[in-house]
Amino acid sequence: MAGFDRIDRISAEVARELDRILRDEVHDPRLGGTWSILRAEVTRDLRYCKVHVSVLEQDKRAGVMEALKSAAGFLRRELGRRVDLRYTPELIFELDTNIEYASYMTKLIDEAVKRDAARSDDTQ
C-alpha cells in the first residue's frame, strides 16, 4: 500500500512541475487560451506518465495538444532536471473533457429543474 502513496506523490509533483515548465519556459503560440493540467498518472515502474489536459476552447484543442506533443522531449528533459527520479517518465498527453461533460450535465439538470418548477406552477 505504501508504494501507491509514493506513486501518487510523484504523480502530483510531476503535474506541478510540468505546469510550471509550460507556463514559464514554453512560448509556443498554440498554447494560448485557457488550458490546465488536471492530473498526471505515473506508472509504478516510472517509465510512462499519462498527463490529462483540459482545454476549454474547443477550437484550440487540436493546437494545444499538438504543441504539447511536439514539446514532449523538451518537457521530459526539463522534468528530469527538476524532479529527482531514477527514470524520467515518457510523457503521454491526453485531452480530458470531464469539465465540459460536467458543465453539460449541470445544464441538463438546470433545465429539468426549470421544467419541473413550471409543471408544478401549472398544476396549482
Side-chain angles (χ1 to χ4, degrees):
M1 210 47 149
F4 289 112
D5 290 340
R6 178 177 177 265
I7 296 299
D8 291 342
R9 285 193 315 267
I10 291 170
S11 295
E13 181 67 20
V14 166
R16 203 170 21 255
E17 286 302 320
L18 280 175
D19 189 62
R20 286 184 189 141
I21 294 166
L22 284 166
R23 297 202 188 275
D24 296 342
E25 297 185 26
V26 177
H27 304 291
D28 192 323
R30 295 175 291 183
L31 287 176
T34 307
W35 58 269
S36 63
I37 294 178
L38 298 179
R39 66 185 180 279
E41 298 173 350
V42 177
T43 58
R44 293 183 69 193
D45 64 357
L46 302 177
R47 298 289 183 169
Y48 298 95
C49 177
K50 192 181 296 184
V51 182
H52 297 269
V53 180
S54 174
V55 182
L56 293 182
E57 296 97 356
Q58 288 186 5
D59 57 330
K60 295 186 179 184
R61 286 181 180 167
V64 169
M65 295 308 292
E66 189 175 315
L68 291 172
K69 288 177 184 175
S70 68
F74 170 77
L75 294 171
R76 184 178 183 191
R77 185 177 71 236
E78 284 298 311
L79 188 63
R81 291 180 182 165
R82 294 178 183 212
V83 179
D84 187 27
L85 295 172
R86 177 172 290 172
Y87 302 109
T88 303
E90 182 179 331
L91 302 172
I92 302 164
F93 293 98
E94 288 192 353
L95 182 64
D96 192 313
T97 58
N98 286 338
I99 293 174
E100 180 183 342
Y101 182 71
S103 174
Y104 172 72
M105 292 304 292
T106 301
K107 180 181 151 195
L108 288 178
I109 291 169
D110 290 343
E111 289 173 1
V113 168
K114 286 179 186 177
R115 278 195 306 267
D116 287 347
R119 278 192 207 142
S120 66
D121 288 344
D122 290 343
T123 59
Q124 290 178 356

